[in-house]
Amino acid sequence: MIRFLRLSIALVFVLICSVAKAQVDHLSAVSSVRAHPRVLLAPGQEKAIQQKIASDRLAQKLHQAMLAECDKLLTVAPQERIQIGRRLLSVSREALRRLFFLSYAYRISGQDKYLKRAEQEMLAIAAFSDWNPSHFLDVGEMTMAMAIGYDWLYDGLPETSRTQIKAAIRQKGIDASLVPSQNSWLKASHNWNQVCNAGMVFGAMAVYEDDPTLAKSIINRAIDTVVLPMGDYAPDGAYPEGYSYWGYGTSFNVMLVSALETLFGTTFGLTEKPGFLKTASYLENMTGPTGQPFNYSDAGNGTELQPAMFWFAQRQNNPSLLWVERNRLMNGDLKDDLKNRLLPAVMLWQGNQNVTDVAPPEATTWAGNGKMPVALMRTSWTDPNAIFVGIKGGSPSVNHAHMDEGSFVMDADGVRWALDFGMQNYETLESKKVDLWNMRQNSQRWEIFRYNNLSHNTLAVNGGFQRVEGKATIKYTSDAPNFMNARVDMSELYKGALTSANRGIAIVNKESVLVRDEVEAAESPATVRWTMATSATVNLISANKAELTKDGKKLVVQVDEPASITLKTWPTDPVHDYDAANPGTTLLGFEVTVPAQTKATLTVRLIPEKAAQKKMEKVKVLGEW
């Protein structure tokens, strides 16, 4: 046993040395760090939060809700190491939620009951055999959870508990990240890098005094490597992995930079990375008047309070970035938001911002280029019946992407008429041995109903899938009040079948939506299918016109070109036994055969009921938009 421990210690030492050799020493001027607490919330900053709670009713509402949640946790048993499939992630996330909530409650209220309950949780987690390093996200979140609890509660913890907890942070968190087979995320340009680096930095800060050399190495490593996913915010802030993963990757990235700045007084240039600060506008514009996000790629259908937005708003002195968060806080009961494991960060980052008096954003359009470019437009921020449209470009090859390039969503009259089915729970697919993470063209991934273009609001050609190596680019956008529009070149996605494929989408006179596709067949005839997914009831009233009804509202879908088409519907029932059900939904659309080397135009109008009798203007070719 002694020989094994010596070998383990020696191996860790070698790994530390190999990491340190390749690093820039960003912390060369740091000789020591302050005493606990030192992570994210400096000593004495509790007073500002307490004053905010006393003077701001929304802050008080959120604070009281979190304390009530902590009171419920007092009688809940500590978690057990229950792994689901290849993940321990649900346990790690609940650990972070519990320990962040309880530690916050203790620091702000000073009530010992919260400290005692958090200690129970940490000792149980410290006793786990490991934190599942084969799926390192689990370790990243667990380490952050334990670091916050250990650091924030340090002075109140018995020495025996401190010893067990810090040993677990070091051995099951930090040391695990030094093993090459477990740290490939250091080279990733997606959320794993952001989440795992943040967790390791929190751990290193929490136990800094026990091994300053190792702690510095871990922090330097994070500063050097987190720039990879941060590079994907360039140039405009459009997050490649979409709405839900913005809430994951970006939130942990903000946790990281906030912790660095709190402890060292600098973010080491990370917040100056192109597009990073701009990404707050991307996220805000992604939510429509219905309260639903543009949920492309692996995103869910719901929205949640985003704590990171409070950091961005304060950082940029732009309270209007909190318009969506304001509505959630003012109009919601916070029940769902209490599931958000980073919720206490709102209280840390809101500063002196008065969320109640936030003004709506001035711009009604937003567009961003990058790996997954998007364009977002609306007729109003304050009218719940406003029209909202989001359209995307990008490539199926991007992390977590679907074959949804050129797809759009549309809200009007408080209804989401054109929807995206969103992601399917990974475990439901992995448990049935679906080859989910293979992104190649012939992968089983693209056979999943919700993942391919046949179920999205875009085009399919000859019944086939979009090309994985292709990319759709947003060529043009306009914020003209009576013709807000965007044009997307999708030609690469249909290479071989179509010579060109261009889509334009516009909000016309703030009353209706226009979708125009201009395509050209290649060397052979091409059958082009236009589809739109909806949860409305569909009534086909003529060959080129359908009436959609939902929640007492109506929308007309009218095809102006080609004149010879016949609208039809397709079922959304699961195609395979591993597909998720899609109850209450329909695919509406039409097919047209385009002769070889011939151009064709597909023009579709989405007309809310109040604009149904209005005369529609003649549609210009996309080159004149």
Side-chain angles (χ1 to χ4, degrees):
M1 181 66 179
I2 293 174
R3 183 171 178 269
F4 173 77
L5 287 173
R6 286 174 178 166
L7 286 171
S8 297
I9 293 168
L11 176 60
V12 169
F13 178 77
V14 170
L15 292 171
I16 292 169
C17 292
S18 66
V19 170
K21 279 182 182 178
Q23 290 178 341
V24 174
D25 188 3
H26 302 281
L27 304 181
S28 58
V30 177
S31 58
S32 63
V33 296
R34 63 173 173 261
H36 299 280
R38 65 172 72 106
V39 176
L40 204 62
L41 183 66
Q45 291 184 337
E46 300 94 339
K47 186 175 180 180
I49 295 174
Q50 291 162 349
Q51 291 173 342
K52 182 70 173 177
I53 293 166
S55 62
D56 186 317
R57 66 180 182 86
L58 286 182
Q60 185 178 73
K61 175 183 177 182
L62 182 57
H63 172 75
Q64 293 297 340
M66 286 193 289
L67 255 60
E69 186 69 12
C70 288
D71 287 337
K72 292 179 182 177
L73 289 173
L74 296 177
T75 58
V76 176
Q79 292 199 99
E80 299 176 13
R81 193 193 182 287
I82 300 174
Q83 189 169 326
I84 300 174
R86 65 194 193 95
R87 295 175 179 82
L88 189 67
L89 194 53
S90 60
V91 177
S92 296
R93 288 175 170 174
E94 178 61 9
L96 180 52
R97 188 184 80 94
R98 292 183 183 187
L99 291 173
F100 203 178
F101 274 54
L102 290 163
S103 301
Y104 164 84
Y106 176 70
R107 286 192 69 176
I108 303 304
S109 76
Q111 296 184 65
D112 202 52
K113 61 183 180 180
Y114 301 126
L115 182 150
K116 296 299 183 184
R117 177 61 186 86
E119 180 187 4
Q120 262 190 313
E121 196 75 33
M122 288 190 286
L123 290 175
I125 292 167
F128 287 3
S129 58
D130 60 44
W131 295 342
N132 198 34
S134 64
H135 190 260
F136 211 84
L137 285 178
D138 312 7
V139 181
E141 295 214 30
M142 194 73 86
T143 305
M144 179 179 284
M146 295 285 274
I148 292 172
Y150 177 76
D151 178 65
W152 284 20
L153 308 177
Y154 185 88
D155 289 337
L157 291 171
E159 185 61 37
T160 53
S161 295
R162 286 184 199 165
T163 300
Q164 293 177 58
I165 296 164
K166 72 179 179 182
I169 292 172
R170 170 65 189 266
Q171 296 163 14
K172 295 167 186 174
I174 296 170
D175 288 355
S177 79
L178 298 173
V179 180
S181 63
Q182 295 170 178
N183 65 16
S184 61
W185 45 268
L186 289 167
K187 299 178 181 179
S189 62
H190 52 66
N191 67 84
W192 278 61
N193 186 314
Q194 296 166 303
V195 174
C196 297
N197 262 321
M200 294 308 103
V201 166
F202 272 60
M205 288 180 174
V207 300
Y208 190 99
E209 64 272 21
D210 295 302
D211 191 339
T213 300
L214 172 61
K216 282 187 175 184
S217 178
I218 295 298
I219 296 168
N220 280 324
R221 182 183 70 176
I223 296 168
D224 285 343
T225 57
V226 78
V227 297
L228 290 172
M230 292 187 76
D232 281 353
Y233 292 98
D236 303 310
Y239 190 69
E241 298 177 65
Y243 179 87
S244 293
Y245 277 96
W246 187 101
Y248 194 28
T250 305
S251 294
F252 277 78
N253 211 139
V254 169
M255 290 284 279
L256 170 60
V257 297
S258 182
L260 290 172
E261 190 164 42
T262 300
L263 187 56
F264 302 115
T266 176
T267 65
F268 302 95
L270 293 180
T271 51
E272 282 70 57
K273 296 301 177 184
F276 185 65
L277 293 181
K278 292 181 180 180
T279 197
S281 293
Y282 158 83
L283 196 280
E284 180 172 52
N285 280 271
M286 284 279 284
T287 298
T290 58
Q292 298 177 64
F294 183 10
N295 57 319
Y296 61 80
S297 297
D298 277 345
N301 294 317
T303 58
E304 62 180 351
L305 193 71
Q306 298 286 357
M309 290 297 285
F310 290 81
W311 183 89
F312 281 109
Q314 186 178 30
R315 187 82 181 189
Q316 300 179 66
N317 192 26
N318 182 7
S320 70
L321 288 171
L322 297 175
W323 180 253
V324 175
E325 315 313 313
R326 166 193 178 273
N327 291 338
R328 286 195 67 90
L329 281 173
M330 291 186 68
N331 304 321
D333 62 6
L334 299 182
K335 181 180 179 181
D336 289 337
D337 294 307
L338 290 170
K339 300 173 185 176
N340 188 327
R341 58 201 180 281
L342 301 184
L343 189 61
V346 173
M347 306 301 290
L348 279 57
W349 293 331
Q350 64 179 325
N352 294 321
Q353 299 172 109
N354 189 332
V355 180
T356 307
D357 297 332
V358 167
E362 293 181 2
T364 54
T365 63
W366 190 91
N369 281 307
K371 283 186 176 180
M372 200 70 87
V374 295
L376 308 156
M377 58 196 88
R378 70 189 70 222
T379 55
S380 172
W381 281 100
T382 57
D383 181 2
N385 295 314
I387 295 176
F388 167 78
V389 168
I391 188 168
K392 68 179 296 292
S395 171
S397 64
V398 174
N399 197 49
H400 286 293
H402 292 187
M403 287 180 168
D404 56 4
E405 283 54 54
S407 192
F408 66 93
V409 294
M410 182 253 187
D411 292 354
D413 294 330
V415 175
R416 172 141 298 181
W417 298 103
L419 62 80
D420 190 303
F421 293 108
M423 68 175 291
Q424 180 173 341
N425 179 277
Y426 302 144
E427 177 60 22
T428 64
L429 296 164
E430 291 171 342
S431 64
K432 295 185 178 179
K433 309 301 181 185
V434 174
D435 192 11
L436 179 58
W437 304 109
N438 180 346
M439 307 289 283
R440 291 192 294 271
Q441 186 68 46
N442 62 350
S443 168
Q444 189 181 13
R445 174 184 179 85
W446 308 120
E447 298 289 340
I448 301 167
F449 178 83
R450 292 190 182 185
Y451 281 61
N452 62 57
N453 51 300
L454 295 173
S455 68
H456 285 92
N457 305 333
T458 187
L459 304 178
V461 182
N462 299 328
F465 298 157
Q466 292 180 334
R467 296 179 66 89
V468 171
E469 74 273 15
K471 180 179 180 180
T473 56
I474 295 180
K475 293 295 188 180
Y476 176 83
T477 61
S478 172
D479 60 0
N482 291 325
F483 200 71
M484 291 180 274
N485 71 82
R487 296 204 319 254
V488 183
D489 184 350
M490 305 186 292
S491 303
E492 288 185 18
L493 281 303
Y494 306 103
K495 186 178 179 181
L498 298 179
T499 302
S500 63
N502 290 278
R503 164 165 284 189
I505 193 164
I507 300 178
V508 182
N509 295 325
K510 300 182 180 180
E511 296 175 331
S512 63
V513 172
L514 174 68
V515 184
R516 180 181 175 93
D517 291 289
E518 295 176 356
V519 303
E520 182 176 1
E523 300 299 320
S524 303
T527 299
V528 179
R529 184 177 113 164
W530 188 104
T531 47
M532 185 183 96
T534 184
S535 59
T537 299
V538 179
N539 179 27
L540 301 175
I541 55 180
S542 69
N544 74 327
K545 190 178 293 187
E547 183 181 77
L548 278 56
T549 57
K550 185 174 182 180
D551 299 337
K553 308 294 176 61
K554 294 182 180 180
L555 179 87
V556 170
V557 178
Q558 176 178 301
V559 182
D560 288 358
E561 301 175 274
S564 59
I565 65 90
T566 300
L567 278 167
K568 59 186 292 187
T569 61
W570 292 269
T572 60
D573 301 328
V575 178
H576 311 94
D577 64 353
Y578 51 73
D579 283 323
N582 306 291
T585 59
T586 304
L587 286 172
L588 170 67
F590 60 91
E591 293 178 318
V592 59
T593 299
V594 183
Q597 300 179 318
T598 301
K599 296 179 179 180
T601 301
L602 286 60
T603 303
V604 182
R605 298 183 189 272
L606 311 178
I607 310 168
E609 187 174 15
K610 58 189 175 185
Q613 304 305 317
K614 298 277 183 86
K615 183 179 179 181
M616 297 295 162
E617 299 175 4
K618 184 178 178 181
V619 180
K620 295 180 180 179
V621 297
L622 293 180
E624 297 179 6
W625 282 28

